[in-house]
Amino acid sequence: MRTPRRSPTDGVEPPPPPVRGRRAHAGPPAEEGPDTDPGATADGIPARAERWHIRPRTVRAKIVCLLMVPVVSLLALWGYATVTTAQDISRLRQVQRVDATVRAPVSAAVTALQAERAAAVRHATDPSAVRTGELDELARRTDRAVAKLRLGSGNTVADSGELPTGVAHRLEQFVTGAEHLRPLRSAVRERRAGWAETYDRYTRTIAAALGVEGALTGIQDADLGSDARVLLEFARAGEALAQEDAVLASARLDGTLSGERFRLFTGAVELRRTLTASAVADLSGTERAAWDTLADDIAFTTVTDAEDGVLARGRAPRPSMRPPRAPGAPPTRACRTACAPSRTTPHAVSRGTPTPSPEGF
């Protein structure tokens, strides 16, 4: 039999085994009633709420938390720059698309209409001044320019919905008005329309085209809005100069510049000078330098002097009224004297080179 290592002491009971689970505490257990707040202490003071702190425990986590704010800010700035650049590119492409599909064809149509108006007014004043074949060629050139603005039979290039409100409506009015010039052309060839009616119909059609260009300025942003307005004012000033050319050409053939012709010429001169002064005031840098060069050119000063001379002779009192000139007769000496200084066409002024016009002005 195996002998135990130690023998039990007589009369002493061994200690009880330790109690597992809840540890023993001093005193009896606290009484917890139904109204007792478990978060309150025995003295009625609420216990402090336990706070949760998310603290990085490793060096890598601390570095990531330190760099998170600047990295997120940088990503936000990159996103904003990307969106802004994309919007600018989209706006620039829209402007280029509108220039190619609407503004450039409208400008070409205006140029063709101005040339046709000058020839038609001369033919209505004196049929021998312009051949019928020349009128037909100018009319076909105008029709080709206007046809580029049509899509099908009832739509125009401005019906895409990407342009400002009013552009499509104005373009439709212009194209329709240009297409309705065909009966007037027949009346001019058949000598059933006078110079005043011919001039008025063509001028109203060109004014509708300039209205389209005015509506197109709405697609420019704040930086380009001023440039668009300057270009529009120069375009209107060019139309006023073309009106002067047409009126003087008719007056040269008729031998007189009075009454309705003088009123139209005076209005065109004042309009051109007002629009030019308003547009030049907004030029700066290279644009202003180019304008100063053009203003000092002999062609521009010749036109200005011719306008002043015609206005001065038109406002001077006349002692008597001379009889009207017979159709086909050469112009009188007074008309040649009044119209002689104006020997530059509107297109020559824009190029800065004096070019004699076909009318001899």
Side-chain angles (χ1 to χ4, degrees):
M1 181 176 180
R2 185 177 180 180
T3 304
R5 293 182 180 179
R6 66 178 181 176
S7 58
T9 306
D10 295 340
V12 179
E13 295 181 358
V19 181
R20 296 182 179 180
R22 184 177 180 181
R23 293 184 177 182
H25 57 83
E31 296 181 359
E32 297 180 358
D35 298 334
T36 304
D37 187 3
T41 60
D43 297 337
I45 302 175
R48 176 181 293 182
E50 186 176 0
R51 296 181 180 179
W52 293 85
H53 296 280
I54 304 178
R55 296 181 178 178
R57 297 183 178 180
T58 62
V59 177
R60 179 181 299 176
K62 291 181 180 180
I63 294 176
V64 170
C65 294
L66 183 63
L67 298 178
M68 184 178 298
V69 175
V71 168
V72 172
S73 302
L74 184 60
L75 290 176
L77 291 177
W78 281 347
Y80 176 76
T82 302
V83 172
T84 304
T85 305
Q87 291 176 350
D88 294 340
I89 294 176
S90 176
R91 188 182 299 110
L92 180 60
R93 288 183 177 178
Q94 183 187 20
V95 172
Q96 293 175 347
R97 183 168 58 252
V98 170
D99 285 341
T101 59
V102 181
R103 183 178 283 111
V106 169
S107 299
V110 168
T111 302
L113 282 169
Q114 290 172 346
E116 184 181 356
R117 176 183 59 188
V121 169
R122 297 201 316 271
H123 185 84
T125 304
D126 186 0
S128 62
V130 181
R131 299 188 307 272
T132 305
E134 183 180 352
L135 286 178
D136 294 339
E137 177 61 27
L138 292 174
R140 286 192 294 268
R141 186 184 306 174
T142 302
D143 291 340
R144 288 193 298 266
V146 174
K148 296 180 180 180
L149 298 170
R150 274 291 186 191
L151 290 179
S153 58
N155 296 324
T156 62
V157 294
D159 292 333
S160 60
E162 299 179 356
L163 301 177
T165 305
V167 175
H169 178 66
R170 293 187 184 185
L171 185 60
E172 177 65 29
Q173 286 183 338
F174 163 63
V175 174
T176 303
E179 293 172 349
H180 288 172
L181 290 176
R182 294 165 186 169
L184 177 64
R185 294 166 179 167
S186 301
V188 170
R189 285 192 296 265
E190 298 172 3
R191 305 186 62 179
R192 290 184 290 105
W195 74 267
E197 179 185 358
T198 304
Y199 176 87
D200 181 68
R201 288 285 302 277
Y202 278 100
T203 302
R204 284 192 283 115
T205 304
I206 296 174
L210 295 177
V212 176
E213 295 187 1
L216 288 176
T217 58
I219 66 174
Q220 307 286 355
D221 56 7
D223 296 334
L224 300 178
S226 179
D227 296 339
R229 184 186 61 81
V230 169
L231 292 176
L232 178 61
E233 289 180 349
F234 273 125
R236 293 185 181 276
E239 162 59 12
L241 186 60
Q243 293 176 9
E244 298 177 30
D245 187 37
V247 172
L248 287 181
S250 175
R252 174 183 176 276
L253 295 173
D254 195 41
T256 179
L257 181 62
S258 60
E260 182 67 14
R261 285 193 179 95
F262 184 72
R263 184 187 66 83
L264 294 174
F265 180 80
T266 303
V269 170
E270 297 298 332
L271 179 62
R272 184 193 69 81
R273 294 183 177 181
T274 301
L275 291 174
T276 302
S278 176
V280 170
D282 292 334
L283 294 179
S284 60
T286 57
E287 292 83 4
R288 186 56 183 264
W291 171 257
D292 293 338
T293 302
L294 176 62
D296 295 337
D297 192 85
I298 185 62
F300 188 85
T301 56
T302 300
V303 171
T304 305
D305 295 341
E307 291 174 346
D308 294 336
V310 173
L311 291 176
R313 291 183 178 90
R315 294 191 180 100
R318 298 184 180 182
S320 61
M321 296 294 295
R322 56 186 179 83
R325 181 176 61 89
T332 62
R333 180 179 180 182
C335 181
R336 289 196 301 268
T337 304
C339 301
S342 178
R343 295 184 177 275
T344 307
T345 61
H347 302 290
V349 174
S350 62
R351 293 193 303 267
T353 55
T355 304
S357 64
E359 298 85 21
F361 275 67

